[in-house]
Amino acid sequence: MSTDTTGTVARDGDPRPGGPADSPFIRACRRRPGPHTPVWFMRQAGRSLPEYREIRASVPMLESCRRPELVTEITLQPVRRHGVDAAILFSDIVVPVAAAGIDLDIVPGTGPVVAEPIRTAADVERIRPIARDDVPYVDEAVRQLVVELGDTPLIGFAGAPFTLASYLVEGGPSRTHAKTKALMYGDPELWHALCARLAEVTLAFLRVQIEAGVSAVQLFDSWAGALSEADYRRFVLPHSTAVLSGLASAGVPRIHFGVGTAELLGAMGEAGADVVGVDWRTPLDVATGRIGPDKAVQGNLDPCVLLAPWPVVEAEVRRILEQGRAAPGHVFNLGHGVLPETDPEVLTRVVALVHELSSRRADQG
């Protein structure tokens, strides 16, 4: 018998009824049947909600991530409003890097900006290991949220080593990732040292969240789509694998997501996740063929579709649910994050529609 960190007890891999571990979301992640297809949205706790903009009006992003009461409230907002099947911790992928000693800020309208970009082995040494005491606000927020959410699962998350490395090498967001690739190709030894250090930080950050009670974790590799499959396998896969395999005994589902990763889906499926997120460019049935039959999939409505008239949205939701049936488990989501200009009422309607259509299908099946 082993303890499941979602708060239930597992025997032979089957959770006891009730609690987050028996929720539609966790059941789909574990490729088990459920009452309906679960749905949540990346960036659901954020810019599209007026209540979020109000609470964040005078609080800088990094500070808001370090105030447990704010993290708790912002994380709960979309659960209350939309009735989604999972909450995702409000945070940012650079939070653990800042805790590891890197001087950075999240600049409105720009994103993370690094004061001294990584260029040398000495720079890599500036990234120190982290533990729970370095991010006590994350630990506290997760513990508060687990109580508040009850049977609704909470997803923890972190940035993958490649995406974090790109921010640190470029000094901020980049369209070409030119400095990143120059380091990757020109000094592979330094590149792997940097990514190995970031993998350690990421793994520690996710373990803090798991020990505090999250029900699942998602590893975001937002910029991995900038690479060929050969480069991904050589320069990225070992480090993402180190993170995901390091959580193999943690007792929670692991989700791996990237943007523009159509040609990388097979390799990403090898990294050790239970669920592979798919952006809107690849139909879910095609993605399942590339990922393999032993992984659930997550996705993959184009966020821009939510700006279209409702009949268009409904048709796309129906298409994605139908294509998702090819996978052994499907978590409905967007192919990337909610856009700030999205009408929250549309998100609420999508959740209701997904539940209605998939429940009807489950009843008929």
Side-chain angles (χ1 to χ4, degrees):
M1 184 172 72
S2 62
T3 300
D4 187 320
T5 55
T6 56
T8 61
V9 177
R11 288 186 179 87
D12 300 324
D14 290 322
R16 282 200 324 225
D22 197 38
S23 65
F25 169 72
I26 297 297
R27 294 188 73 85
C29 289
R30 296 203 182 282
R31 308 187 306 281
R32 297 191 178 106
H36 59 256
T37 299
V39 52
W40 69 279
F41 305 108
M42 285 179 281
R43 291 185 183 156
Q44 66 186 15
R47 298 170 296 174
S48 68
L49 297 181
E51 55 266 42
Y52 167 79
R53 291 195 293 270
E54 180 180 353
I55 203 172
R56 276 285 325 282
S58 60
V59 186
M61 180 62 182
L62 269 179
E63 182 183 343
S64 67
C65 295
R66 293 166 175 161
R67 289 170 54 175
E69 73 283 1
L70 273 185
V71 171
T72 299
E73 170 58 24
I74 293 170
T75 301
L76 291 172
Q77 286 175 349
V79 180
R80 297 191 199 109
R81 180 186 271 262
H82 304 311
V84 288
D85 291 284
I88 185 164
L89 181 70
F90 175 75
S91 188
D92 191 274
I93 64 171
V94 299
V95 165
V97 179
I102 296 299
D103 184 4
L104 58 82
D105 193 15
I106 302 175
V107 178
T110 299
V113 175
V114 180
E116 298 180 52
I118 301 296
R119 296 285 186 269
T120 67
D123 293 334
V124 173
E125 289 302 313
R126 290 193 281 116
I127 307 171
R128 61 175 183 258
I130 67 168
R132 183 173 61 180
D133 289 346
D134 296 297
V135 285
Y137 39 86
V138 172
D139 178 79
E140 183 179 344
V142 170
R143 293 180 189 276
Q144 289 178 8
L145 281 161
V146 168
V147 173
E148 293 284 342
L149 287 164
D151 290 346
T152 301
L154 175 64
I155 305 168
F157 79 92
F162 173 79
T163 292
L164 293 177
S166 181
Y167 276 117
L168 296 185
V169 172
E170 300 286 343
S174 171
R175 292 184 180 275
T176 63
H177 308 280
K179 295 184 178 69
T180 303
K181 291 184 177 183
L183 176 62
M184 191 175 73
Y185 296 134
D187 195 340
E189 183 176 351
L190 179 58
W191 171 260
H192 284 296
L194 170 60
C195 286
R197 181 65 59 91
L198 291 171
E200 293 171 3
V201 170
T202 298
L203 181 56
F205 189 58
L206 290 172
R207 282 176 172 160
V208 169
Q209 296 174 59
I210 290 169
E211 289 169 6
V214 300
S215 297
V217 293
Q218 176 158 303
L219 188 67
F220 282 87
D221 212 351
S222 305
W223 308 132
L227 301 175
S228 68
E229 182 184 357
D231 285 345
Y232 178 87
R233 288 185 176 279
R234 179 183 177 190
F235 295 111
V236 177
L237 183 58
H239 306 291
S240 294
T241 300
V243 176
L244 292 166
S245 65
L247 301 173
S249 62
V252 303
R254 299 153 294 171
I255 308 168
H256 196 19
F257 172 75
V259 182
T261 55
E263 298 304 318
L264 308 181
L265 288 172
M268 290 181 71
E270 297 170 18
D274 305 288
V275 185
V276 177
V278 183
D279 75 13
W280 65 92
R281 297 169 179 87
T282 309
L284 289 181
D285 49 355
V286 174
T288 296
R290 296 176 183 179
I291 296 164
D294 61 337
K295 310 285 183 187
V297 298
Q298 180 176 277
N300 67 344
L301 183 69
D302 186 334
C304 292
V305 167
L306 296 172
L307 309 179
W310 177 252
V312 176
V313 178
E314 181 176 354
E316 285 296 286
V317 169
R318 289 177 180 273
R319 177 184 65 80
I320 289 163
L321 283 173
E322 183 60 32
Q323 291 173 344
R325 297 179 68 180
H330 176 210
V331 176
F332 191 98
N333 208 311
L334 305 182
H336 200 197
V338 176
L339 297 172
E341 57 267 41
T342 304
D343 180 354
E345 291 303 316
V346 175
L347 292 171
T348 303
R349 292 182 71 182
V350 167
V351 174
L353 179 63
V354 171
H355 287 172
E356 176 193 353
L357 295 174
S358 56
S359 297
R360 186 186 308 162
R361 190 178 69 215
D363 291 342
Q364 293 171 347

